[in-house]
Amino acid sequence: MNVSPILAAQATYPFVRIEQAKRNAAAAGVEIFDFGQGDPREPTDPLIRQALVDALPQTRGYPKAEGLPELRQAIAGWLERRFGVAIDPATEIVPTLGSKEAIFSFAQVVVDPAEGKDTVLVTEPGYPVPERGALFAGARVVHVPLHEENGFLPDLDAIDPDTLSRTAILWLNYPNNPTAAVAPLALYEHAARLAAEHDFLLASDEAYTELWFHEPPPSALQVADRSNVVVFNTLSKRSSMTGYRSGFVAGPGWVMDALRAYRPTVGTAPQEFVQWASVVAWNDEEHVARARDVYRRKREVLLGALDELGWRVAGSEATMYLWVEVPAGASSEECAERLLEHGIVVAPGAYLGPSGEGYVRFALVPTVEDCERAAAILRGLA
Ligand SMILES: Cc1ncc(COP(=O)(O)O)c(C=O)c1O
């Protein structure tokens, strides 16, 4: 008896090599500046923390999969203010335990091989969770590459008609992790048209829509016909609430009905005190603007140092990431290893998908002060 082969294949997840190199560097006395993983370390706003504490006495029993009406109302209000879309809080929104679990399990809810819908399209390089979820659901995964010459947008016209007819889900993630590229609404319009034509769902992972530095990025919910569009968003990055686990799915009523039927078995309804804190978070934009300012400062510090070093920054219009071309002659893993010798941890692009080779990803999670110290080290490499 073995563990699942999908799980066994994951044991070789390449980040363990960087983790080991990081431990070696730390043991050798090198100070570590960890730009490796995208877990924000900014404090959660006191208003949100207080709302959590205030809600504790009200909590009793299992939370319901449909979520509190007050939270669905707050999310609908935010979607209306932010994207100008009218989403019905009663039928078109389901609160989730962060967005990762919902992204992971989505293939289980809609993939239907018996009906010929056995395929999930994922972009690469990318966040690994949609692919892993699809594999655990027994789906066929097809990679859609993101190349710089196409602005790190997928070439949807290059996907063959047979694959499109077998597709149950097309995953997009903009602003994108790891390239930090932003998609125009036209990409969502194109993808939503294909989804309607070939009877699949466009699943749009919008975890980073609020971490922008120029124009606020669009949502796939803004397309003219959103009958085949499902959006996943989260408070994790917007409100530095990774530890709270609070997000939502918004989409057509029949998909939300399916989620409400599926989710009680998995037990992924967010705790009600977290839902009350989330109401406060979705209703406030000031803390989000402050968080953006902090990321903007970190970004400028790093961009200045990389520029002096002569390293080219690609994509990188939004999110907490910088996607940086590695100097000629080195692989992304070698570049990451070299930076680690100086205590700077980054993610090698190749670990995030084959099209990520040639780049490394900096997650702007250390404090502004630590970014400044890391920038000084980077300048010293020139
Ligand atoms: C692209 C992307 N989507 C979704 C998530 C999930 O975030 P959470 O589960 O905290 O909402 C992450 C987290 O890093 C991410 O990078």
Side-chain angles (χ1 to χ4, degrees), residues 65 94 105-106 109 230 249 254-264:
V94 172
S105 60
F106 195 52
V109 180
V230 183
V249 187
W254 70 269
V255 179
M256 299 301 112
D257 286 344
L259 288 173
R260 278 188 289 266
Y262 169 85
R263 294 172 59 78

Side-chain angles (χ1 to χ4, degrees), residues 187-337:
L187 176 76
Y188 295 137
E189 290 285 9
H190 187 179
R193 271 198 310 276
L194 282 179
E197 202 182 315
H198 297 275
D199 190 26
F200 63 79
L201 290 172
L202 161 61
S204 182
D205 169 2
E206 304 188 355
Y208 295 97
T209 50
E210 303 318 289
L211 302 188
W212 49 267
F213 308 102
H214 313 291
E215 290 288 303
S219 165
L221 288 173
Q222 292 170 298
V223 299
D225 174 8
R226 54 182 160 81
S227 335
N228 290 59
V229 175
V230 183
V231 160
F232 298 70
N233 211 325
T234 170
L235 290 171
S236 287
K237 321 288 169 166
R238 174 186 181 274
S239 301
S240 306
M241 285 172 67
T242 44
Y244 284 66
R245 314 310 298 133
S246 183
F248 69 85
V249 187
W254 70 269
V255 179
M256 299 301 112
D257 286 344
L259 288 173
R260 278 188 289 266
Y262 169 85
R263 294 172 59 78
T265 319
V266 197
T268 39
Q271 297 84 347
E272 288 188 357
F273 41 87
V274 170
Q275 295 192 50
W276 287 111
S278 305
V279 171
V280 173
W282 288 116
N283 282 338
D284 180 63
E285 285 301 325
E286 277 177 31
H287 74 280
V288 188
R290 280 195 296 273
R292 270 194 297 269
D293 280 345
V294 173
Y295 284 115
R296 186 176 283 118
R297 277 160 62 204
K298 296 182 187 187
R299 188 181 144 81
E300 278 161 11
V301 167
L302 263 286
L303 285 176
L306 291 164
D307 188 43
E308 277 183 43
L309 194 55
W311 287 16
R312 194 175 63 83
V313 177
S316 306
E317 294 161 74
T319 77
M320 58 172 66
Y321 303 111
L322 293 179
W323 189 237
V324 180
E325 188 182 41
V326 304
S331 70
S332 62
E333 189 175 42
E334 284 162 352
C335 177
E337 279 167 359

Side-chain angles (χ1 to χ4, degrees), residues 66 72 87-93 260:
E66 67 258 32
R72 284 183 271 117
I87 306 294
D88 180 354
T91 58
E92 296 182 308
I93 293 172
R260 278 188 289 266

Side-chain angles (χ1 to χ4, degrees), residues 12-59:
T12 55
Y13 196 46
F15 273 101
V16 292
R17 289 206 288 277
I18 284 289
E19 264 311 304
Q20 189 54 48
K22 190 170 122 186
R23 276 198 291 275
N24 294 348
V30 177
E31 188 182 0
I32 299 293
F33 297 93
D34 197 343
F35 296 91
Q37 286 190 346
D39 187 356
R41 291 172 224 152
E42 308 307 325
T44 305
D45 191 85
L47 277 181
I48 301 170
R49 301 205 305 255
Q50 191 57 49
L52 179 97
V53 171
D54 291 347
L56 278 173
Q58 306 176 19
T59 307

